[in-house]
């Protein structure tokens, strides 16, 4: 079974703090994604990565950065946390199969509260 | 922008009935489609992948894809209270990304 593991299930941080969310997958997937999910807004893509050291902006990258130094690990960084970044953060990974887009598998999610 | 539309619900069905969930998408070229189930406070869980026109069955779940009409549906037979969740459809959103619908909330009532 595919396993995607996020480092924290719940996190409380103060405004202005630098926050690191870590994600590790064990299936040698090329693609990794960070989403946030808010009530009524669905899943919104923050950043994604097709390969080590490669990253691309998603729909809402402002205030975030990412790092992918190893294939299995994809980190989301909140440079200076703000209260509007309080949300559920979901990491996902998927396999590359040429032009065919494959299913994504999600981690358990991190509920981040910024106070 | 590639879009997917789902009725947000809630959709209420009695226990034992068939629940029918629908999703329409904008990109005619899409080749793969996915249904996810998400319980409250949890992350989305993949329940069905479908790549070709027609029906795909897996236990009590059947996914139906109609590329000409650009819709995909999910039927849940013999609905159980444990099926109460939000169901998200997803399809390719450019590159290797998925675009997700906002989800349909299903309530299975005793």
């Amino acid at each position: 079974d595919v396993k995607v593991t996020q480092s924290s299930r719940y996190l409380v941080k103060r405004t202005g703090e630098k926050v690191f969310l870590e994600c590790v997958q064990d299936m040698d997937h090329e693609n990794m994604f960070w989403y946030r999910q808010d009530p009524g807004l669905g899943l919104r893509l923050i950043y994604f990565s097709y390969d080590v050291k490669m990253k691309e902006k998603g729909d809402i990258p402002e205030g975030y950065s990412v790092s992918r130094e190893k294939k299995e690990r994809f980190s989301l960084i909140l440079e200076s946390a703000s209260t509007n970044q309080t949300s559920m953060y979901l990491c996902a990974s998927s396999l590359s199969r040429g032009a065919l887009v494959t299913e994504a598998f999600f981690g358990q999610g991190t509920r981040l509260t910024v106070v | 922008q590639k879009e997917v539309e789902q009725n947000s619900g809630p959709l209420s069905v009695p226990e034992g009935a068939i629940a029918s969930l629908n999703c329409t998408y904008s990109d005619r070229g899409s080749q793969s489609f996915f249904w996810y189930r998400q319980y409250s406070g949890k992350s989305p869980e993949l329940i069905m992948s479908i790549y070709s026109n027609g029906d795909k069955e897996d236990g009590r779940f059947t996914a139906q894809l109609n590329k000409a009409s650009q819709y995909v549906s999910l039927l849940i037979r013999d609905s159980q209270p444990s099926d109460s969740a939000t169901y998200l459809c997803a399809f390719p959103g450019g590159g290797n990304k998925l675009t997700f619908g906002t989800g349909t909330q299903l309530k299975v009532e005793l």
Side-chain angles (χ1 to χ4, degrees):
Chain A
D1 281 351
V2 175
K3 191 162 186 184
V4 181
T5 304
Q6 295 181 229
S7 54
S8 303
R9 186 74 180 89
Y10 299 95
L11 213 50
V12 180
K13 295 292 182 181
R14 294 193 180 277
T15 300
E17 275 193 81
K18 191 169 186 176
V19 181
F20 293 86
L21 302 182
E22 307 285 344
C23 176
V24 177
Q25 50 94 4
D26 67 357
M27 285 302 292
D28 204 33
H29 284 174
E30 292 82 6
N31 307 312
M32 296 190 74
F33 309 89
W34 276 106
Y35 293 89
R36 64 176 282 178
Q37 188 175 33
D38 302 286
L41 296 178
L43 282 161
R44 293 182 292 169
L45 183 63
I46 304 171
Y47 266 98
F48 58 101
S49 170
Y50 294 143
D51 201 350
V52 175
K53 297 192 185 294
M54 296 188 69
K55 58 185 179 183
E56 291 195 27
K57 294 179 180 179
D59 300 318
I60 51 163
E62 296 78 19
Y64 303 94
S65 62
V66 290
S67 172
R68 194 166 180 200
E69 296 296 319
K70 293 185 178 181
K71 189 175 185 179
E72 66 271 18
R73 187 178 298 269
F74 192 36
S75 303
L76 179 69
I77 303 151
L78 284 67
E79 299 292 342
S80 177
S82 64
T83 55
N84 63 13
Q85 292 178 311
T86 292
S87 186
M88 170 74 98
Y89 288 87
L90 292 159
C91 175
S93 72
S94 71
L95 193 63
S96 279
R97 285 188 185 159
L100 184 66
V101 178
T102 62
E103 54 273 306
F105 296 91
F106 285 86
Q108 76 274 31
T110 296
R111 185 162 294 282
L112 173 68
T113 302
V114 182
V115 298
Chain B
Q1 177 119 4
K2 301 184 182 188
E3 296 181 350
V4 55
E5 291 190 8
Q6 288 185 262
N7 187 327
S8 63
L11 172 67
S12 292
V13 299
E15 184 178 5
I18 296 175
S20 177
L21 306 161
N22 299 305
C23 180
T24 59
Y25 59 93
S26 62
D27 182 13
R28 285 188 171 276
S30 295
Q31 297 296 316
S32 50
F33 305 86
F34 310 99
W35 281 102
Y36 289 80
R37 176 178 62 199
Q38 187 174 23
Y39 292 113
S40 181
K42 303 294 186 182
S43 61
E45 172 193 11
L46 178 73
I47 53 173
M48 291 285 277
S49 305
I50 185 165
Y51 296 94
S52 57
N53 259 346
D55 296 359
K56 180 182 177 183
E57 188 174 319
D58 184 1
R60 294 186 297 111
F61 298 95
T62 299
Q64 299 175 321
L65 173 60
N66 185 321
K67 289 187 178 181
S69 301
Q70 294 176 241
Y71 81 82
V72 58
S73 61
L74 180 69
L75 301 179
I76 306 174
R77 290 182 300 281
D78 188 24
S79 295
Q80 301 297 308
S82 59
D83 294 326
S84 297
T86 296
Y87 290 81
L88 307 170
C89 67
F91 78 105
N96 285 324
K97 299 177 293 182
L98 289 178
T99 294
F100 288 84
T102 53
T104 299
Q105 186 184 6
L106 173 66
K107 294 183 177 181
V108 180
E109 299 168 334
L110 295 170

